Amino acid sequence: AILLIHLFLSPLQQALGQCGNKPPQQISLGGNLNGLCDWNRDRPFNDVFKMNRGFSSDPAIPWSVNVPLTDSLGWPLQDFGVIVMVDMDSSMGGSYQIQFNGQATLSPVASGFNVQNMVYDAPSNTSTADLVYPNNISNGQQMMLSFTNTQYANGVAGVKNIRILKPGIAPNGPTFDQRFLNHISRFSNLRFMDWHATNANTDSLWSDRCLLTSTTQTGNQGVAWEYCIELANTAQKDLWINIPHKATDGYIAQLANLLKSTLDTGLHVYVEYSNEVWNWGFQQAHWNLAQAKAEAIQPGNPLNYDQANDQYTWNYRRIAKRGKEISDIFKTVFGPAEINRHIRVVYAVQVAWFDVGQRGIEFINTYYGPPQQYFYGLAVAPYFNSAAIDTSNTASKNEVLQALQNDVNNIFSKYDNTLMQYAAATSYYGLKFLCYEGGPDTFGPNNIQAKKEANEDPMMKTICKDYLSKWYGFGAESLMNWFTAGAGNWGTPYGSWPLTQHFENSVKLQALDELLGAAPPPLSAGFPVPGNIDARLISGYSAQWNAQAHLQPVGWHPYDDYLIRVPQGSAGQYGITLGLASIAGGQSFDVYIDNQLLQNIGVPVTGSTSIFQSSSESLADLSEGLHTIRLKWNTSNYLIDSIKLTLKTPCIPLTTKALASDEAFSMYPNPVHEKLWIQSTQEEEIDIQIWNTLGACVHEGKVRNFPADIDTRSWPAGMYMVHLISSHRSEMHKLIKP
């Protein structure tokens, strides 16, 4: 018997809408900043004292862990020593100017500078001096000082407000080092996870945070948020911030208001809840589990809404729930229209275990609604490593390189890894697929010299370019944040994370720059359509897990995903057919595309599992890019052999509309299905307000660069009024969403 299955899709997009995806002209590549400490080779501040290690009560031994008595602001109430910099590089010679309030005797401690030109100005109670190094110093030089005869008395610090400016920097000079700014100029955004000491940060209240006036910008409180914002404004880079895991709602609201009032309006903010809250090596994971267990047993708490009664399910759900709550707070401060536009809340997950993120994102979808209402993207950390050869200490440079290349090949294999599962889930929910950390991972005590040599070898550039090209196979907008962006020591057991050692033009840096200077790699993830999909090739499972057929279900989750790719120029109306068989009656499953239920299919009895018959053809409109077909089982005693997609009617490509001489604004396509594009002749910022027929504002924001796009996928069908406003003109347009 011929098995006929009809899949009916409402017209998601017609000709203009489905061809309206404008391919990005450049990849989005961000960078994780190195954590600030006295040995950080980035030296981002022109005032190097901001990166001091903290005060020691023994002036002659500044590395002593004995802490002096301090006043309420943290300045010592006794003589003290301090480590300002270690592991300086050869470019850092010259004369540093120190300035502080009070008087003291300054002396170098195991450091190659001389104190010269010491002057005290009594009216301002200010001391100044020069800390003079030779112009040419060797790598590894350091700056450690003792402060004696500080004249402290009666609880008043004798020395405070210390500044040490780099050679050539005036007292009113710029905050950030130009070499550092030049280096980070290649990135589209900066992730401040380590700058803010996220994995050690226990700040709960807004009053707990590090301030601009704090005695150091290192330590467990991290850098003052104001400096993070100033760096983003100075470099004109988007921010990626990490909210401390204990931060209260009030703390988050204060941070959101600070960003709203001080960050340049043209910059975006990526917002992540803490860092790797699922990672048991970090305190935040244990704290979150304890919170989840306490919350879930409360009557009516969402974490146990379905009586899951599993503490780890509660744990993963709470991570997602807290992200959703953070999104709600930012929505209150910035307005609903800025979520997923100016404010981009990220749900970061563990790449090695799909169920960690899956349990969270499914919970959001089921309990609160489509995740796209709260989250901009889902983020993973697809590092590639040399662990395969690290079981002994005898590996050569070439063996390290080969192990790294092998791992790149493995993590981007098409089916049998969680990276593909997450990509499919991200596409399914209409989220961006992001990388919060990535790059080569050589962590471990073995083969350190071979690893260092591998990082210096030209083959490393080839491997890094291959890695990046494969990642951007998920799309040029699949932002990657390289770990780490700056300079550091490659010859340690703690990994060769940094891009460079001393801001040299390293082979890893060359790989990034060559990719940034080229056209984006072509979209390559997923099954290309039109074509046939072998139903055994489920996202995340080996191609040959079942040599005969695909038997539902696989794994503990009640569905299987297939990531499909509609290449540029291949959008249009597709016919879909399934090959099915079932021995027993009463079998059924649901078919979804991108979180839209298409149909429940009852599988008739065919009488044999070895004969597969194709279903009749149904129609679906698919835009360019990635989509996910999800088969969600209700029963399990049937087999699926194939999924076939055939292009029936190609769409008409969308072209950018040129404005007539008397037009200020235009928008297209109209009707709209996914993205609405706004074009303007005004060389200035414009306000956009979009209202539905009930008078509710569905989008509000400002735009500088044109053409600008607005995502309309979550809007209900209906008519909308679009108000476009500049300082010279105001226009109202009608918009149809089918």
Side-chain angles (χ1 to χ4, degrees), residues 220-240:
N220 291 349
Q221 288 184 305
V223 180
W225 286 117
E226 289 85 350
Y227 279 132
C228 300
I229 295 169
E230 184 181 353
L231 177 59
N233 287 341
T234 301
Q236 284 296 288
K237 303 299 176 185
D238 295 340
L239 290 90
W240 184 306

Side-chain angles (χ1 to χ4, degrees), residues 33-34 36 40-45 166 176-186 190 195 231 235 485-487 503:
L33 296 178
N34 285 322
L36 290 192
N40 178 311
R41 292 183 180 179
D42 291 348
R43 321 287 182 193
F45 290 106
K166 289 180 178 178
F176 299 107
D177 179 90
Q178 190 58 50
R179 181 175 70 164
F180 174 70
L181 292 174
N182 291 343
H183 177 77
I184 64 174
S185 65
R186 55 179 44 87
L190 304 171
W195 255 44
L231 177 59
F503 287 110

Side-chain angles (χ1 to χ4, degrees), residues 632-666:
K632 189 171 184 180
W633 56 271
N634 301 309
T635 55
S636 59
N637 293 320
Y638 57 83
L639 299 105
I640 303 175
D641 175 63
S642 62
I643 305 171
K644 183 178 181 181
L645 292 96
T646 306
L647 179 60
K648 309 300 292 184
T649 307
C651 68
I652 303 170
L654 175 67
T655 57
T656 301
K657 178 183 177 182
L659 290 176
S661 59
D662 60 342
E663 287 185 294
F665 312 115
S666 71

